[in-house]
Amino acid sequence: MSSTTELGANGYWYPGDPNSEPARAVLEALRGYRIAEQEMRPRIRHQLDINEKDMQALHYVMHASHHRNALGPTELSRLLSISTASTTALIDRLVRSGHVERQIHPTDRRALKLVPTDKSHLDMQTTLSRLHERMMDVASSLSPGEADVVTRFLLALTETAGQEPHVTQHSDPVAGPS
């Protein structure tokens, strides 16, 4: 292992500099949140009785509807990175489950738009409202200054995560987590 990098007990690398402990604690807390959020998703899918791709699709459909955008099957296929045939089967499942309706596009009568149903909104509200209330309670406990710092940090981290990683070549191999 190199002298500037250490493998933490959790199997992740961070600079070994003792001055980086506050930053390490922040990243560990964020990692813990991400794990908790990932573990929450199957519980929500189970309550809604849909699979992961269907839940992603429903999120995109509801987001587009909330922003008054028309989302069609082609755009959904692109967003989910799945074939048009898989998208058709997915939309059929969401229509059968009562979560989505196909409607004629308002400006292009040859096209379809996907619209969440009242059932979708009710299911999401029933399933997520208490969780969202608890999350809002936590966020509301921050002072305006703290909220600003957290928001700037998360936006910067989101931008960083969206960038291509820069691979550097090491002269000595570094052991990774097993």
Side-chain angles (χ1 to χ4, degrees), residues 11-29:
Y12 295 100
W13 296 277
Y14 294 112
D17 178 3
N19 294 327
S20 69
E21 285 306 312
R24 181 190 309 242
V26 167
L27 294 176
E28 289 296 337

Side-chain angles (χ1 to χ4, degrees), residues 169-173:
Q169 298 297 324
H170 296 283
S171 55
D172 296 329

Side-chain angles (χ1 to χ4, degrees), residues 18-95:
N19 294 327
S20 69
E21 285 306 312
R24 181 190 309 242
V26 167
L27 294 176
E28 289 296 337
L30 183 62
R31 192 174 309 280
Y33 168 75
R34 289 184 60 230
I35 290 167
E37 183 183 38
Q38 289 169 352
E39 290 171 351
M40 172 189 65
R41 292 181 68 81
R43 293 190 306 268
I44 293 168
R45 286 195 325 264
H46 177 75
Q47 288 179 338
L48 295 174
D49 196 27
I50 59 177
N51 67 38
E52 179 66 25
K53 276 293 187 207
D54 292 7
M55 187 164 152
Q56 288 175 328
L58 190 54
H59 165 78
Y60 286 128
V61 169
M62 293 184 85
H63 185 266
S65 175
H66 178 75
H67 292 283
R68 303 204 188 287
N69 294 326
L71 181 69
T74 303
E75 296 89 358
L76 185 60
S77 178
R78 182 184 50 76
L79 288 167
L80 296 173
S81 300
I82 60 176
S83 70
T84 55
S86 293
T87 302
T88 299
L90 181 151
I91 293 168
D92 287 346
R93 284 192 305 273
L94 290 176
V95 167

Side-chain angles (χ1 to χ4, degrees), residues 57-175:
L58 190 54
H59 165 78
Y60 286 128
V61 169
M62 293 184 85
H63 185 266
S65 175
H66 178 75
H67 292 283
R68 303 204 188 287
N69 294 326
L71 181 69
T74 303
E75 296 89 358
L76 185 60
S77 178
R78 182 184 50 76
L79 288 167
L80 296 173
S81 300
I82 60 176
S83 70
T84 55
S86 293
T87 302
T88 299
L90 181 151
I91 293 168
D92 287 346
R93 284 192 305 273
L94 290 176
V95 167
R96 273 194 311 273
S97 69
H99 287 103
V100 170
E101 291 178 349
R102 291 178 176 101
Q103 294 181 356
I104 302 295
H105 192 283
T107 59
D108 181 358
R109 300 209 39 89
R110 298 167 296 160
L112 293 175
K113 72 174 187 172
L114 304 170
V115 179
T117 62
D118 290 341
K119 175 188 177 354
S120 255
H121 291 289
L122 182 61
D123 284 355
M124 287 296 189
Q125 181 180 5
T126 302
T127 304
L128 298 174
S129 64
R130 184 64 192 125
L131 172 65
H132 288 169
E133 287 173 17
R134 292 189 315 256
M135 292 173 81
M136 185 57 86
D137 288 345
V138 171
S140 295
S141 73
L142 299 172
S143 71
E146 290 170 328
D148 183 56
V149 168
V150 171
T151 300
R152 284 187 290 116
F153 167 74
L154 290 173
L155 290 173
L157 208 56
T158 299
E159 183 178 329
T160 299
Q163 297 170 354
E164 289 295 319
H166 298 290
V167 179
T168 57
Q169 298 297 324
H170 296 283
S171 55
D172 296 329
V174 177

